[in-house]
Amino acid sequence: MNLAMIWELAAQALQMLLVLALAPLVLGVTRKIKARLLRRIGPPTWQPYIDIWKLLHKEAVLAHNASWLYRVTPYLLFATTWVAAALVPTYAINLMFSWSADLIAIVALLATGRFALALAGMDVGTAFGGIGSSREMMIASLAEPAMLLVVFSVALIAGTTQLSTMASIFINGSVGLRVSLGLALFAFVFVAIAENARIPVDNPATHLELTMVHEAMVLEYSGRHLAMIEAAAALKLTLYFSLLACLFVPFGMATGDKNIDSVLIGLMTYLAKILVLAVLLPIGETSVAKMRVFRYPIFLGSAFAAAALAVFLLFVSRSL
Amino acid sequence: MHNINFDVAHLLAGSILALSFVLLYQHRITSMLNVFALQAIALSLSVAWQAYIQEAPHLLVTAGIALAVKGIVIPTALHRIVRRLGIHRQIEEVIGAGPTMLTGLGLVALSILLVLPAGQTVSLLAREDLAFALAVILLGLLTMITRHNAVTQIIGFMSLENGLVLAATGAKGMPLVVEISVAFSVLIAFSVFGIFVFRIRERFDTVDIGALDQFRGERRDQT
Amino acid sequence: MIPSLPSVDISSIIASIAAFWSQLPVTPLQAVLLVPAVAVVLLALIPGYRFGAFLNVLASGLTFFAGASLLFNPRYRTDILIVDDFNVYLVTLTTFVAFTTSIFSASYIGHELETGRLTPRFLRYYHALYQAMIGAMNVALVANNVGLLWVGLEVATLTTVMMVGIYRTPEAIEAAWKYFILGSVGIALAFFGTILVYLVAQEVLGEGLQAMAWDTMLKSAARFDPKLLSLAFVFLLVGYGTKVGLAPFHAWLPDAHAEGPTPISAVLSGLLLNVALYALLRFKMILAANAATINAGLVLIVLGLVSLIFAGFMLYRRRDIKRLFAYSSIEHMGIITFAFGMGGALANFAGLLHMTMHSLTKSAIFFAVGHIAQVKGTQRITEISGLSSSHPVLAVGLALGVIAIAGMPPFGLFTSEFMLVSSTFARQPLLAVALVFGLIVAFGALILRLQDVLFGEASGPPGKVKATYAPLFLHLALVLAAGLWLPEPVVRWFRAVAAQLG
């Protein structure tokens, strides 16, 4: 075990722990900004940490007809989301496990988690769980194609689906400001909003039957299970932010050898990007109203159209 | 190697195209007007950028006209007209948003496939801008076709004209005569539209084009 | 086949006209454009409709005089305006028909006021819009710059749209709205085609005005990129073809003719369709100069035949008299398009002659229809009958007009149709068969309807015709004269333009 390998391992471990530690903070910043925009004071920024800590110490109450799936799902969800979030390059590329950081694999991991959650929502047999699961799957069926088309468009530009390689190609700047990238960004933002259950698709703070999607699925969970699920939701949001930063604004990441300077710069830029996105999200959320469920296809259809257009442009022209 | 000038020009043209798509599925008149205003602002930015890279300062006049007239004056005037007509609460059933979007995608594909391969002697930048402009024109046409309401048809037509201005400014060195005439025609078209909207309203007490249908042509039941 | 008389000594006339114009501060070309512009402003301000009508006639007369003087002036070009053989005869024709229509309109409008269909305030707009339309058409005709041509056609369209809707009945508004939407879409597509043409031209000619001028473009057309030029022509065909009224882009035409005031129907049929066709022909000339482009002639032939046969069949079921003659306009524009699509000296000559004769005859027919509508109070054919007993002079006028438009000798339309059929038969016999078939179908419908209207019990209230017959019979006389003999200068002139058209 020479020093280089230990250093690599430490860098990879740093990334894994970084996203885990950062995720509740991202959530907290988002909630705080939103409250301020709504002229409330809002909870403290580190409230999600306190929530998770509290939930971990509470008793998990299960329905008597809950199956093994119900108990396993929170851990499964947390695991898949954490792995996916840890694979996305945050402050540096070409980390130890980055050969496995394939964009399609990440999409598949998220899909697995969502699938498990949807099943668990229906597991106990309550009405709210069923509503949540069916709405969630409808959104997924519309968002997945759009997400895949976004993946295709960036992959066509970079020539690979491996995230580290993609990021390094984009950092060089030889790609330029392409229309297809702009369209892909547009589509990605819409898909991210849908997947993370944010306004205008879903309200993360509501428990009204008419409006909840994600919250409906997890309504029955309590204690450490709920803590896992909350952490997974926060990780998912951080994952999408990191993905946006890595694909569309990858500047500042540490390429090449990872000495202290480049790592520090990478960390600083990453934190800055995440913070900016965490501020922009509530600004967007407070400026639109939640849309009705039958409008989801149009919303996600426009994302699909934009991504399809991006892919098409890449096929017909070299410079678009 | 990518030329930053071309890229920004394409980006702005692409944003105009994306806004045309967004215009397709709006179902409230006020939101359509806002999207149209955004599109006009994007258009003025695009024309201003063309003025910069072509070193043609007279294009800035066109950009200013697009911004002032189509980005500010016309949307606010139409907002007021819509309010006065009392139709700002109408929800319009857009004819099948899904198929419409797919048709829109097809039209964009068609326009790109038509324009890009033709004319190898013309520069690539001009051809790509022209392809985008044609796509915006065809999408504006599609918006007009899928609408029932007179005001939304007008907005579709004006987004079609946005595409025309985009095409005209993409063609390098087109003399000022044409630009003034484009702006002039916008003004005339709008005044005609205004007269029509009022005439339709006072005649029919509605701006639904469907109500006009019963006066179409020679009906079979008339002998 | 056309007997020509010894040419009259016109050099003295030319000299006196030239002397007259040299005393004025404006040239005939400027007058053709400025007189309508001034008239628009004046007419918009003057409240009294009688004086407005008189001023309208006066302005149209002056414009006609200027247009006719252009015939004798030397040919002229700048990068913006051009007067060559092709458009000078169209300018003369346009200003002439506009003049006679203004005379008809002046006498016709009084009745419209009495029946309450128009108010005096709208009459002001009507006269101002009329002059604006004339001015715009003149601009389109004398423009050397393709953009200016487009502007002229657009303004002409917009003014006619407003005039079609001027009665403000539900049907009129529907017709005007449909015309506006279709016309605007056509104009937009035509503009896109214009931009494409400029792009193609500026590659060869460099940027600036010379890349948009007809004559410079025509000289270098062989070096243009053929694919882009063909694409441009497609757009221009759809765009300007809508304004010509070719099927399948004709949907606005019947309604606009039926619901607008009769003078406007006359001007639409007689003039605006011609100007749009002129634009198409200019582009076709550029395309013809480049060997690698699509066969524009073939496209025109197909569109012309489709319009002819389609309109011919549609004539049978029409119940409104103005709609009937609107479809007849579509039919004739189809014939003219077919003629220019065939190309060659004889077919082009036939096309040019047909354009002129159709303008004169169709406007004459609409004058007659206007009289009929006023005395019978209706436009429905089933409610109009017995014209020969109630209004014999009008009946004769209508009968002569319909016979002329149906293509019977000795009127001028027969001459042009015969020329076209024979030249087509010599080159493409099958096409000639289709052409004759269409002509016969239309002929049948027109004669049938004419019989319905002329004979039988006199219907409707008895009353005298208030408007003047003069324009109607003047046009018919001209058409008859042209059918009998064409003056030698006119023949030479048409031949020169036919050769230019290729």
Side-chain angles (χ1 to χ4, degrees):
Chain A
M1 280 274 260
N2 55 6
L3 199 61
M5 219 159 87
I6 296 181
W7 199 227
E8 290 286 328
L9 202 57
Q12 178 69 67
L14 174 63
Q15 176 157 298
M16 292 183 77
L17 293 171
L18 177 68
V19 287
L20 185 59
L22 205 56
L25 180 65
V26 168
L27 210 56
V29 168
T30 308
R31 286 189 195 155
K32 184 73 167 174
I33 301 282
K34 189 166 182 180
R36 284 283 171 181
L37 283 171
L38 295 173
R39 303 189 67 197
R40 292 186 280 124
I41 297 185
T45 318
W46 52 88
Q47 184 65 34
Y49 292 107
I50 302 176
D51 282 342
I52 293 181
W53 183 251
K54 171 186 74 176
L55 282 171
L56 280 173
H57 290 273
K58 286 205 160 186
E59 181 192 358
V61 177
L62 295 172
H64 64 87
N65 60 345
S67 67
W68 60 270
L69 184 66
Y70 191 80
R71 278 170 287 146
V72 164
T73 293
Y75 303 105
L76 181 61
L77 182 64
F78 179 73
T80 53
T81 318
W82 190 19
V83 167
L87 283 178
V88 176
T90 54
Y91 67 93
I93 61 174
N94 285 332
L95 292 174
M96 197 166 199
F97 295 138
S98 59
W99 52 267
S100 59
D102 186 288
L103 199 48
I104 299 186
I106 288 179
V107 172
L109 275 172
L110 292 174
T112 313
R114 176 174 46 232
F115 171 66
L117 191 61
L119 281 181
M122 292 192 289
D123 189 66
V124 183
T126 60
F128 285 143
I131 290 176
S133 296
S134 70
R135 284 179 184 167
E136 174 72 23
M137 289 324 275
M138 173 180 83
I139 295 175
S141 67
L142 297 166
E144 284 272 310
M147 184 65 195
L148 279 176
L149 279 179
V150 171
V151 169
F152 288 162
S153 59
V154 289
L156 275 173
I157 295 179
T160 170
T161 51
Q162 218 247 47
L163 272 171
S164 278
T165 324
M166 246 189 240
S168 66
I169 293 179
F170 287 162
I171 287 180
N172 286 354
S174 62
V175 171
L177 287 172
R178 305 177 71 149
V179 182
S180 41
L181 271 182
L183 286 170
L185 175 62
F186 179 73
F188 184 79
V189 168
F190 275 28
V191 168
I193 291 176
E195 292 268 356
N196 287 300
R198 295 268 134 199
I199 292 178
V201 174
D202 179 18
N203 192 345
T206 181
H207 289 100
L208 295 174
E209 170 189 346
L210 207 56
T211 55
M212 56 178 178
V213 177
H214 183 264
E215 292 299 315
M217 284 189 293
V218 304
L219 206 58
E220 303 284 322
Y221 277 110
S222 54
R224 61 182 183 277
H225 296 151
L226 190 55
M228 297 275 102
I229 292 183
E230 292 285 320
L235 271 170
K236 196 167 179 183
L237 187 60
T238 315
L239 160 73
Y240 272 93
F241 282 172
S242 312
L243 208 52
L244 202 154
C246 164
L247 285 176
F248 297 106
V249 273
F251 314 107
M253 284 206 278
T255 56
D257 59 333
K258 297 166 194 46
N259 48 14
I260 293 290
D261 296 333
S262 56
V263 164
L264 272 175
I265 293 177
L267 277 171
M268 288 295 118
T269 48
Y270 175 67
L271 285 170
K273 289 177 215 168
I274 297 297
L275 235 81
V276 165
L277 286 170
V279 168
L280 284 177
L281 178 64
I283 294 178
E285 281 196 308
T286 48
S287 54
V288 291
K290 182 186 175 313
M291 63 171 67
R292 297 181 58 182
V293 177
F294 68 84
R295 299 271 298 164
Y296 291 164
I298 297 179
F299 182 75
L300 289 167
S302 57
F304 178 84
L309 195 55
V311 172
F312 178 70
L313 283 176
L314 284 170
F315 272 113
V316 290
S317 163
R318 297 227 153 264
S319 61
L320 280 178
Chain B
M1 185 54 205
H2 269 262
N3 189 333
I4 189 87
N5 289 348
F6 288 6
D7 280 340
V8 173
H10 288 324
L11 257 182
L12 288 168
S15 63
I16 298 177
L17 181 62
L19 285 169
S20 283
F21 260 109
V22 174
L23 205 58
L24 267 181
Y25 65 77
Q26 296 301 324
H27 67 156
R28 281 183 296 124
I29 297 181
T30 40
S31 60
M32 265 193 101
L33 280 172
N34 294 338
V35 173
F36 170 70
L38 262 181
Q39 195 186 38
I41 294 174
L43 177 71
S44 64
L45 283 174
S46 166
V47 175
W49 183 256
Q50 287 286 339
Y52 166 63
I53 60 175
Q54 286 180 20
E55 283 149 33
H58 58 270
L59 282 179
L60 285 173
V61 175
T62 312
I65 293 177
L67 180 64
V69 175
K70 284 173 140 184
I72 300 176
V73 170
I74 290 188
T76 34
L78 274 177
H79 267 299
R80 285 230 303 251
I81 291 180
V82 162
R83 222 156 242 285
R84 205 146 35 121
L85 288 180
I87 53 176
H88 54 280
R89 292 208 185 82
Q90 270 181 13
I91 303 289
E92 191 179 0
E93 286 304 316
V94 178
I95 304 177
T100 312
M101 300 276 269
L102 283 176
T103 316
L105 273 179
L107 284 177
V108 175
L110 175 72
S111 61
I112 293 182
L113 285 175
L114 263 183
V115 177
L116 274 185
Q120 298 293 334
T121 54
V122 183
S123 76
L124 188 62
L125 168 66
R127 263 185 291 151
E128 286 169 348
D129 271 341
L130 217 59
F132 278 133
L134 181 59
V136 173
I137 291 173
L138 289 178
L139 282 180
L141 200 54
L142 186 63
T143 313
M144 278 173 79
I145 293 175
T146 55
R147 297 276 161 182
H148 289 304
N149 189 307
V151 181
T152 45
Q153 277 186 348
I154 290 167
I155 297 174
F157 179 69
M158 289 199 287
S159 93
L160 192 153
E161 284 203 80
N162 280 349
L164 281 180
V165 175
L166 186 63
T169 54
K172 197 162 187 274
M174 215 171 185
L176 185 60
V177 176
V178 186
E179 285 143 22
I180 289 183
S181 62
V182 172
F184 178 65
S185 68
V186 166
L187 288 168
I188 288 200
F190 181 64
S191 57
V192 174
F193 274 125
I195 297 175
F196 266 115
V197 171
F198 279 115
R199 281 189 184 179
I200 291 182
R201 187 35 179 10
E202 76 185 44
R203 271 286 142 194
F204 297 106
D205 208 23
T206 170
V207 281
D208 189 355
I209 298 293
L212 283 179
D213 230 19
Q214 44 177 311
F215 298 107
R216 207 173 59 151
E218 294 178 296
R219 307 283 294 178
R220 293 274 177 272
D221 46 312
Q222 293 171 353
T223 39
Chain C
M1 108 182 45
I2 307 163
S4 44
L5 289 181
S7 57
V8 181
D9 174 33
I10 52 171
S11 50
S12 52
I13 308 178
I14 298 176
S16 50
I17 293 179
F20 171 75
W21 278 105
S22 57
Q23 293 165 3
L24 291 178
V26 292
T27 64
L29 181 59
Q30 291 165 342
V32 156
L33 300 175
L34 284 174
V35 170
V38 169
V40 172
V41 176
L42 284 177
L43 284 168
L45 297 172
I46 293 176
Y49 77 90
R50 269 189 227 282
F51 186 60
F54 168 72
L55 197 60
N56 193 18
V57 174
L58 182 65
S60 306
L62 287 174
T63 318
F64 168 57
F65 178 63
S69 310
L70 274 179
L71 280 177
F72 306 114
N73 269 27
R75 301 295 174 251
Y76 171 79
R77 65 122 6 233
T78 66
D79 272 338
I80 308 273
L81 298 174
I82 187 171
V83 178
D84 63 0
D85 285 326
F86 189 11
N87 63 3
V88 72
Y89 106 93
L90 272 176
V91 171
T92 316
L93 179 66
T94 306
T95 47
F96 174 68
V97 175
F99 176 49
T100 48
T101 311
S102 67
I103 298 176
F104 170 74
S105 154
S107 53
Y108 179 85
I109 288 298
H111 181 85
E112 297 294 287
L113 259 180
E114 282 170 32
T115 53
R117 284 182 95 186
L118 274 181
T119 62
R121 197 177 63 139
F122 278 101
L123 263 185
R124 232 199 309 177
Y125 297 151
Y126 168 80
H127 286 130
L129 286 171
Y130 188 87
Q131 284 300 319
M133 179 193 63
I134 305 291
M137 283 200 286
N138 286 341
V139 164
L141 283 174
V142 301
N144 199 0
N145 183 314
V146 287
L148 193 60
L149 168 81
W150 180 81
V151 171
L153 265 176
E154 157 138 19
V155 174
T157 309
L158 286 173
T159 48
T160 43
V161 161
M162 287 197 263
M163 282 195 281
V164 163
I166 208 163
Y167 283 147
R168 304 173 97 206
T169 61
E171 295 86 1
I173 291 185
E174 191 270 339
W177 184 256
K178 187 193 290 191
Y179 181 19
F180 181 64
I181 294 287
L182 286 173
S184 304
V185 169
I187 281 272
L189 290 175
F191 189 60
F192 189 74
T194 310
I195 295 175
L196 280 179
V197 167
Y198 168 74
L199 259 184
V200 169
Q202 62 114 3
E203 288 292 314
V204 174
L205 292 167
E207 303 167 15
L209 286 171
Q210 74 277 7
M212 295 179 82
W214 289 124
D215 44 0
T216 45
M217 277 202 289
L218 195 55
K219 287 199 205 91
S220 328
R223 289 183 279 153
F224 289 172
D225 182 285
K227 275 203 272 186
L228 209 52
L229 194 57
S230 307
L231 186 65
F233 185 71
V234 171
F235 280 104
L236 289 163
L237 189 62
V238 175
Y240 288 136
T242 311
K243 313 218 79 55
V244 175
L246 293 171
F249 316 120
H250 66 284
W252 60 275
L253 214 155
D255 283 337
H257 278 76
E259 306 301 338
T262 311
I264 299 308
S265 309
V267 171
L268 267 177
S269 257
L271 298 181
L272 198 54
L273 302 185
N274 273 355
V275 175
L277 189 60
Y278 159 80
L280 261 184
L281 286 177
R282 285 279 195 191
F283 282 111
K284 180 202 171 246
M285 278 160 69
I286 293 183
L287 231 75
N290 190 322
T293 52
I294 56 171
N295 191 347
L298 184 61
V299 180
L300 288 178
I301 289 176
V302 169
L303 277 178
L305 273 180
V306 167
S307 306
L308 168 63
I309 297 180
F310 168 74
F313 279 112
M314 293 296 268
L315 280 172
Y316 280 95
R317 297 282 306 238
R318 296 303 113 207
R319 299 185 191 90
D320 179 310
I321 194 168
K322 277 201 209 170
R323 229 174 261 276
L324 178 76
F325 289 115
Y327 276 101
S328 167
S329 287
I330 299 179
E331 174 218 338
H332 281 278
M333 292 319 279
I335 296 176
I336 300 172
T337 313
F338 176 86
F340 287 123
M342 284 297 296
L346 212 51
N348 283 336
F349 190 106
L352 290 168
L353 187 60
H354 202 100
M355 258 171 110
T356 322
M357 294 297 115
H358 173 252
S359 273
L360 293 170
T361 319
K362 194 45 71 65
S363 40
I365 289 184
F366 273 112
F367 296 158
V369 166
H371 294 313
I372 294 175
Q374 277 193 338
V375 293
K376 297 290 182 183
T378 173
Q379 283 176 207
R380 310 200 63 87
I381 296 182
T382 48
E383 294 169 19
I384 305 172
S385 67
L387 203 61
S388 50
S389 42
S390 57
H391 301 88
V393 181
L394 184 55
V396 167
L398 182 69
L400 286 178
V402 173
I403 290 176
I405 205 80
M408 294 235 278
F411 288 98
L413 279 161
F414 171 75
T415 321
S416 58
E417 282 174 13
F418 184 79
M419 236 191 284
L420 181 62
V421 170
S422 53
S423 71
T424 313
F425 198 79
R427 292 153 64 181
Q428 304 272 358
L430 285 176
L431 287 180
V433 169
L435 180 64
V436 171
F437 174 66
L439 288 173
I440 293 180
V441 168
F443 179 88
L446 285 169
I447 298 298
L448 268 177
R449 294 286 160 259
L450 182 66
Q451 284 184 317
D452 286 341
V453 168
L454 280 185
F455 306 122
E457 285 284 320
S459 68
K464 290 169 46 97
V465 171
K466 305 265 178 55
T468 158
Y469 282 130
L472 162 63
F473 285 107
L474 175 60
H475 280 203
L476 286 175
L478 279 174
V479 174
L480 180 63
L484 291 177
W485 61 265
L486 277 177
E488 182 62 32
V490 176
V491 172
R492 258 186 287 130
W493 185 19
F494 276 166
R495 276 213 199 116
V497 182
Q500 214 183 357
L501 280 169

